[in-house]
Amino acid sequence: STGTGWWTYPQDIKETTRNGNDLLVLVNKEYKLPSTYAPSDLVKASNSGIRRGDSYYLRNILIPDLTAMITDSKAQGVDLSIVSGYRSYATQQSTYQYWLDKNNGNVAYVDTFSARAGHSQHQLGTVIDFSSNEINDSLGDSFGNTKASKWLVENSYKYGFVISYPLGYESTTGYKYESWHYRYIGKGNAQEMVNSGNIL
């Protein structure tokens, strides 16, 4: 067997068809961003009032909507923190390598949850890995059971954020379910996605 599963990269990797600044640019296992791409409007995530935001950068274009989301969630007794934001091509290279080293070079396993450089949505600066004080700001599957996660599932689209790797879509996205990984695509686009029942 060639070992092709839902996590496998295709033979033919293409450059993204839209510019990285485009909120709807498709970045997945088939389409990769140029190594030279970096957003030009990166600011500290803390500009939105999100906890732990001083350590991470995001595109300024999403700060107003993220600020509203943090303000509203807080008002409803929900705590959200950020555990990852913008990652450069080079950082993604070392992140992927870290997971490979940690898992004895098991590429098939690592490809289910870590993107190779250029294939990560984090390079766009519009992706947030969320956590909460409910799980001591840790990253991972336990987030799915939090009040924070349930709140995001119901409300994030109103602020332009959508979950990138939903449960049951592994064969479409190429990644296992990530309850914490949200991407900003703008309020209009997010509403449209909800109405159509599609994923990006």
Side-chain angles (χ1 to χ4, degrees):
S1 100
T2 53
T4 53
W6 53 260
W7 57 84
T8 313
Y9 284 79
Q11 290 301 121
D12 180 27
I13 305 285
K14 307 173 180 77
E15 286 259 304
T16 49
T17 57
R18 301 184 188 211
N19 183 281
N21 293 340
D22 188 316
L23 290 176
L24 290 178
V25 60
L26 190 60
V27 178
N28 58 19
K29 289 188 166 165
E30 188 176 0
Y31 291 96
K32 71 180 292 195
L33 289 160
S35 58
T36 51
Y37 174 74
S40 54
D41 63 337
L42 290 172
V43 295
K44 283 204 167 178
S46 52
N47 289 9
S48 69
I50 195 169
R51 271 198 321 101
R52 305 185 77 251
D54 268 343
S55 311
Y56 303 100
Y57 287 86
L58 295 168
R59 286 191 59 195
N60 193 45
I61 194 170
L62 63 78
I63 295 293
D65 286 338
L66 180 58
T67 303
M69 188 163 88
I70 295 304
T71 305
D72 293 352
S73 59
K74 225 182 257 179
Q76 293 167 48
V78 169
D79 176 76
L80 290 169
S81 63
I82 179 172
V83 286
S84 189
Y86 169 70
R87 289 206 290 265
S88 68
Y89 186 92
T91 299
Q92 191 61 37
Q93 259 174 327
S94 47
T95 300
Y96 183 81
Q97 194 55 52
Y98 165 83
W99 289 114
L100 265 188
D101 296 345
K102 205 173 151 76
N103 294 281
N104 306 316
N106 185 339
V107 170
Y109 175 62
V110 172
D111 280 344
T112 65
F113 67 88
S114 182
R116 300 177 189 178
H119 294 274
S120 172
Q121 293 185 349
H122 281 280
Q123 193 180 339
L124 296 168
T126 50
V127 167
I128 299 176
D129 287 345
F130 285 105
S131 189
S132 170
N133 60 14
E134 298 174 63
I135 53 167
N136 301 317
D137 302 320
S138 59
L139 174 64
D141 293 331
S142 56
F143 183 68
N145 304 317
T146 61
K147 210 162 67 163
S149 173
K150 291 183 178 71
W151 191 90
L152 284 174
V153 167
E154 287 167 22
N155 299 289
S156 64
Y157 76 92
K158 301 171 194 167
Y159 307 89
F161 288 87
V162 294
I163 192 162
S164 290
Y165 310 125
L167 192 58
Y169 286 87
E170 292 78 4
S171 59
T172 308
T173 65
Y175 294 98
K176 73 179 186 69
Y177 169 50
E178 293 194 354
S179 59
W180 59 88
H181 178 121
Y182 280 79
R183 176 176 171 184
Y184 180 79
I185 58 172
K187 285 194 282 207
N189 292 326
Q191 182 66 63
E192 237 168 85
M193 237 175 89
V194 168
N195 294 349
S196 67
N198 293 332
I199 63 159
L200 193 60

